[in-house]
Amino acid sequence: MTYRVIPVAPFDYVVFGGTGDLARRKLLPALYRRLRDGQIVGGSRIVGVSRREMSDAEYRAMTLEALREFLDPNEANDSDIRSFLDLLFHVQVDVESDLGWDRLAALLEEGADKIRAFYLAVGPDLFEEICRRAGEHGLATAKTRVVIEKPVGSDLKSARKVNEAVGSVFAEDQIFRIDHYLGKETVQNLMVLRFGNVLYEPLWNSAHIDHVQITVAETLGVGSRGGYYDDAGALRDMVQNHILQLLCLVAMEPPDSFDAGAIRDEKLKVLKALKPIANGDAQACTVRGQYRAGAANGGAVAGYAEETGVEASGTETFVALKAEISNWRWANVPFYLRTGKRLPARVSEIVISFKAIPHSIFPDDAGAIHANRLVLRLQPDEAVQQWIMIKDPGPGGMRVRYVPLDMSFAEAFQVRSPDAYERLLLDVIRGNQTLFMRRDEVEAAWKWIDPIREAWDRSGAPPKPYTAGSWGPSAAIALIERDGRTWHED
Ligand code: BG6
């Protein structure tokens, strides 16, 4: 099976940080794949902007190297690569001064009638300055869109400042705050599953759902991102954005249409209904950890302090939380959230755990009756599994068994699952903001996160150590087991 490809209108994509890690690893390979599938047609340009003095030819050579490194060999085809490289240009700009802006303006003037996107693949401290200078040099036209990467700020106050600054140059419908988790296939599938089937919605509430789990586990450590990460920590890096966005999609009321405004209105209501966790509650409802040396990815690995060179850092690389939503649909349904680096497996999943049956008619020796679970696996191997009880096949007595109705997308459709950036980058050109965060959502998320961070700071307690390759501190297991529940395992 192949997927339907609808070409987008010609565009100019300007990538600030065009030689950086995100551009090389994600953005350029994603755009290449869209060209290879026929979605990017003639007349489009990709302009890498960086501080470096670099000719177009040198930028193309750098991109070729990146494609060789980050594409699967079977994805790279000579003629598509040549066509892709032809789209590339490089302009040297010092975003902190006026150097290079006129050249950029002159290049973009040649395509003034096209949709233009500025992708800010740079540190968040540069967002304000780039937007301001783009405005001053007349580049923020009505056809221009700006894409900013998370984190937007590091707390509510700084997020407001960034939003004000970007918003003073661009209107909200020109601003695309990217959360790449929303571009993942299974995340979008969650909406289709909920709102494209009659089956789930009547059960999607506290009468039938016992609890929800969201896990985003990584095997990697912080690697070379220690500088950024030590200031951020897992709460800001993963929970404020990716995990809360997933929670919103699980918990939101049905929007009246698949329209960006309608969906974002519903997500915002969920964020606003999150029960605050502060002081005393932070003790009971949150666990934070930091990895020590151990084993991961099949070998011995260093602890966080050795990896980053920061001794006695109080930064968490693991968080587990028990969140609650104060509304009719979700009263008394805990949402257990956890994320961490250097865990035993790379797995991201949402688990909807239904209530137990009220009464079993089966004899005791038939086996245990487990509560139904719906598991949405985001990665690896995207899948939806509905765990149900069935009769154990065979003649003789009545025995029951707990099995998944398993739908692995790769197997079912035989298509490559696109990288999240492939969809999101072109949604910007299409002007579709459904899978991007609106200003008020980002700020509402910080409003819930800030008191947790403040309670941790006030307590002064360091993160609990955990061995690399384990499922985090034992307190994270206690957090859910105290309530008579367990983390889902396949
Ligand atoms: C990023 C975080 O947003 O998401 C990283 O900054 C994290 O720390 C990454 O590793 C995880 O993304 P994915 O798509 O690999 O799960």
Side-chain angles (χ1 to χ4, degrees), residues 150 180-181 184 218 225 237-238 242 341 346 379:
K150 59 148 273 271
H180 76 280
Y181 266 60
K184 291 185 190 273
E218 298 182 86
R225 298 168 72 227
D237 185 49
M238 298 295 288
H242 305 324
K341 299 210 181 274
R346 177 172 187 255
Q379 58 197 28

Side-chain angles (χ1 to χ4, degrees), residues 442-475:
V442 172
E443 294 181 5
W446 281 121
K447 211 168 168 184
W448 187 71
I449 290 288
D450 282 354
I452 301 176
R453 158 80 41 206
E454 284 157 19
W456 288 350
D457 289 347
R458 253 195 309 275
S459 91
K464 294 185 191 327
Y466 64 95
T467 307
S470 71
W471 281 107
S474 54

